[in-house]
């Protein structure tokens, strides 16, 4: 059977529920989280600053890939 609640109690519970819903919570970040956030912003700015397609980057990447390939082949030849 359902209980019949007095109107004053219903209003009180409704007001409490409304206050809980409308309450704004405050969160604090740890020092580590703040530092991670700073590093993320720095990385975003770094990528935005170096967003050009200079041939120099492609040449350096190609040279690095060639060096890796040479290291890989010389390493496998010495194992034979």
């Amino acid at each position: 059977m359902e209980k019949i609640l007095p109107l004053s109690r219903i209003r009180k519970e409704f007001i409490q529920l409304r206050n809980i819903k409308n309450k704004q919570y405050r969160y604090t970040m740890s020092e580590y989280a703040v530092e991670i956030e700073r590093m993320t912003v720095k990385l975003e700015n770094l990528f935005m600053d170096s967003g050009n397609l200079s041939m120099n980057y492609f040449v350096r990447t190609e040279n690095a890939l060639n060096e890796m390939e040479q290291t890989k082949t010389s390493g496998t030849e010495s194992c034979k």
Side-chain angles (χ1 to χ4, degrees):
M1 257 190 157
E2 290 185 33
K3 292 182 181 179
I4 298 177
L5 298 174
L7 191 57
S8 61
R9 184 172 173 193
I10 293 173
R11 284 186 185 143
K12 183 179 178 183
E13 290 179 4
F14 176 75
I15 291 171
Q16 288 175 345
L17 181 63
R18 187 174 57 194
N19 288 340
I20 290 171
K21 284 184 177 181
N22 293 335
K23 186 174 184 178
Q24 294 182 354
Y25 294 98
R26 298 172 93 193
Y27 298 98
T28 56
M29 294 174 60
S30 69
E31 293 176 22
Y32 295 112
V34 170
E35 191 60 34
I36 290 171
E37 187 74 23
R38 286 181 186 149
M39 289 180 359
T40 304
V41 169
K42 285 179 186 177
L43 283 173
E44 287 174 350
N45 291 337
L46 184 100
F47 284 124
M48 293 179 94
D49 291 342
S50 65
N52 59 2
L53 296 177
S54 171
M55 284 302 293
N56 188 27
Y57 296 123
F58 290 113
V59 171
R60 289 191 339 203
T61 304
E62 181 184 18
N63 291 340
L65 288 171
N66 288 334
E67 287 178 23
M68 287 180 6
E69 186 65 32
Q70 289 174 357
T71 306
K72 181 181 173 185
T73 55
S74 66
T76 57
E77 291 175 359
S78 64
C79 292
K80 292 180 181 179

